[in-house]
Amino acid sequence: MATFELYRRSTIGMCLTEALDEMVSNGTLSPELAIQVLVQFDKSMTEALESRVKSKVTIKDALFKKEDSQETVGRVKIVACDSKLLLQ
């Protein structure tokens, strides 16, 4: 299962990061443990979204055009995320 750090830029991810930074600054948490917590957060968010989100859209017979060629495909799978999360 691939995980992505983009969930860290969500509201809950930013709050977690701030809390971990504060704990590292105060000396109550080591930087290594804070990184482990963030990695687990990434894994947990990916797993939760894969298993709990049931929204799906089906596209049938899609036509892809590229300059001087085109191709019709029977099935298309699109994986999307909020691009605002990637730009922050």
Side-chain angles (χ1 to χ4, degrees):
M1 166 179 42
T3 61
F4 302 98
E5 293 180 7
L6 65 95
Y7 302 121
R8 294 181 191 184
R9 295 189 182 211
S10 65
T11 302
I12 192 169
M14 291 178 76
C15 289
L16 174 62
T17 302
E18 288 176 23
L20 292 171
D21 286 345
E22 186 176 324
M23 293 173 78
V24 168
S25 295
N26 293 340
T28 56
L29 190 70
S30 70
E32 295 79 16
L33 186 54
I35 290 170
Q36 286 180 340
V37 170
L38 287 173
V39 169
Q40 183 59 51
F41 171 77
D42 297 336
K43 290 178 184 177
S44 296
M45 286 297 293
T46 300
E47 182 180 302
L49 291 173
E50 284 178 351
S51 65
R52 295 183 183 161
V53 174
K54 302 300 180 200
S55 300
K56 290 187 179 182
V57 175
T58 302
I59 300 172
K60 293 183 179 180
D61 298 325
L63 176 64
F64 287 88
K65 294 181 179 181
K66 178 184 167 190
E67 296 174 11
D68 60 349
S69 66
Q70 64 183 30
E71 185 174 344
T72 301
V73 294
R75 224 173 128 176
V76 176
K77 180 177 182 180
I78 299 172
V79 178
C81 64
D82 187 347
S83 63
K84 294 176 190 170
L85 296 174
L86 299 172
L87 298 175
Q88 294 178 348

